[in-house]
Amino acid sequence: MDTALLCRAVGESGCAHAADDENTEARWFPVDRMPEMSERFRQTISAALTGGPTRVGTPSK
């Protein structure tokens, strides 16, 4: 199960950083210049940006 949250940077620094041992780095990307990723993540981002459905993809059997 993946959980996605739509967030905005708050405050002056806006610096993304890895805050735990699970992640090695964190960065902000303009929507039109995001790195390579699987199609399911692109669908999730698109749904969030357009106010689309909260569930993306098909449920597991």
Side-chain angles (χ1 to χ4, degrees):
M1 175 175 73
D2 291 320
T3 301
L5 305 170
L6 178 61
C7 303
R8 295 194 193 310
V10 177
E12 293 182 25
S13 71
C15 294
H17 66 280
D20 57 31
D21 293 334
E22 183 177 344
N23 300 295
T24 58
E25 64 181 327
R27 291 189 251 168
W28 299 111
F29 292 94
V31 175
D32 61 343
R33 294 189 328 207
M34 290 189 298
E36 293 290 322
M37 65 184 78
S38 75
E39 183 59 27
R40 76 176 195 191
F41 296 135
R42 289 200 176 277
Q43 290 174 352
T44 300
I45 292 167
S46 178
L49 294 175
T50 60
T54 56
R55 189 184 94 213
V56 177
T58 56
S60 301
K61 292 185 179 183

